[in-house]
Amino acid sequence: MRTMPAVLVVEDEPAIAELIAVNLRHNGFRPTWAMDSISAQREIDAALPDLILLDWMLPGESGLSLAKRWRAGERTKGVPLIMLTARGDEADRVAGLDAGADDYIAKPFSTKELLARVRAVLRRHSPEQSGEAIVIAGLSLDSATHRVSFADQPLKLGPTEFKLLHYLMGHAERVHSRGQLLDKVWGDHVYIEERTVDVHVKRLREALGAAGVMVETVRGAGYRLTAKPAVPVAVLDKANVA
Ligand code: CA
């Protein structure tokens, strides 16, 4: 049950934007098109995409300036960004990467190359969107079949706990604030109290049983999923379960 990654295409040339959008759509992405910095900002304000393809040369504010602004913004700084440009020399490439772009594609490009780079950047940023099973210290989550198991014992999780675990396992060992988890798991612009996160983390720990200790509270910072919890995982003795 993978969701289709949303890609914001910021490009003032309709023919190129259309070419990119068609190819993204045919390959399981949800493209949105903005033709200048103002409409791009409007799209970003409405909903954060999973990735931004940003043309350098735009009417009005340039793509480079937009990239810098989004990188500096608390809400937008984590969104992966690929710069797209006809300016292929090294100084420009460096300026694009300095502005915080994750990758850089010089025009003209092949759609095959574009898709490969989009996938690579997404894989780096959101391993949970790659559609493969994630296994960490015996805890396994398969997003294709929606199955979770620990030490080969199947576990039952509610839908929100599943999404929460999916995100935490996809970004393991990193600390996520309640606000970040709300954004990533509940969805951007969903106004829910941060305490809701605590409630679902508690339910998730209960559902995980012995593996519950892998979901750690980091005081004053948030939560993290770790392969090496401070409290060691007590693997269930199968004889006791039976
Ligand atoms: Ca352009």
Side-chain angles (χ1 to χ4, degrees):
M1 256 193 256
R2 289 168 64 189
T3 53
M4 292 190 294
V7 179
L8 174 61
V9 182
V10 189
E11 165 64 74
D12 58 315
E13 285 162 71
I16 298 178
E18 178 67 16
L19 176 74
I20 296 173
V22 165
N23 277 282
L24 287 173
R25 210 169 289 128
H26 284 169
N27 286 279
F29 298 94
R30 263 184 307 126
T32 323
W33 174 37
M35 61 187 305
D36 55 30
S37 57
I38 294 168
S39 43
Q41 188 59 54
R42 200 179 302 135
E43 292 292 339
I44 293 272
D45 290 342
L48 276 187
D50 295 298
L51 182 133
I52 302 167
L53 280 172
L54 178 59
D55 185 28
W56 183 311
M57 302 292 278
L58 292 170
E61 187 176 1
S62 75
L64 192 68
S65 157
L66 268 179
K68 284 182 183 160
R69 189 144 57 83
W70 287 337
R71 273 299 169 261
E74 189 55 40
R75 183 166 161 266
T76 45
K77 67 181 179 193
V79 180
L81 196 152
I82 300 177
M83 293 285 295
L84 216 60
T85 183
R87 309 171 61 154
D89 67 50
E90 202 193 336
D92 288 338
R93 199 189 148 82
V94 168
L97 296 174
D98 271 352
D102 294 274
D103 204 352
Y104 187 99
I105 303 175
K107 291 178 183 173
F109 52 83
S110 76
T111 51
K112 236 176 146 177
E113 182 192 3
L114 177 95
L115 287 166
R117 287 180 185 240
V118 164
R119 289 200 184 100
V121 167
L122 273 179
R123 205 176 305 127
R124 230 156 49 217
H125 271 262
S126 315
E128 85 277 11
Q129 284 193 346
S130 71
E132 292 150 13
I134 314 172
V135 183
I136 298 170
L139 181 61
S140 161
L141 180 145
D142 187 335
S143 60
T145 59
H146 254 240
R147 288 207 171 103
V148 178
S149 63
F150 178 63
D152 295 325
Q153 305 278 327
L155 300 171
K156 256 193 143 89
L157 266 67
T160 303
E161 285 69 51
F162 182 88
K163 275 165 65 179
L164 183 58
L165 182 64
H166 196 183
Y167 184 77
L168 289 172
M169 288 183 75
H171 304 82
E173 309 300 338
R174 269 177 271 175
V175 183
H176 308 277
S177 71
R178 290 167 177 83
Q180 284 167 339
L181 290 173
L182 275 179
D183 258 12
K184 298 293 183 185
V185 178
W186 277 261
D188 185 41
H189 280 220
V190 176
Y191 298 102
I192 304 173
E193 278 188 70
E194 295 199 340
R195 220 173 312 151
T196 306
V197 177
D198 302 338
V199 172
H200 287 279
V201 166
K202 185 167 178 280
R203 282 189 203 156
L204 174 60
R205 283 192 182 122
E206 284 164 7
L208 292 179
V213 292
M214 289 171 71
V215 181
E216 289 188 330
T217 304
V218 181
R219 207 169 281 252
Y223 295 106
R224 112 178 113 210
L225 186 127
T226 177
K228 294 190 179 85
V231 182
V233 179
V235 178
L236 281 177
D237 185 346
K238 283 176 190 161
N240 288 343
V241 178

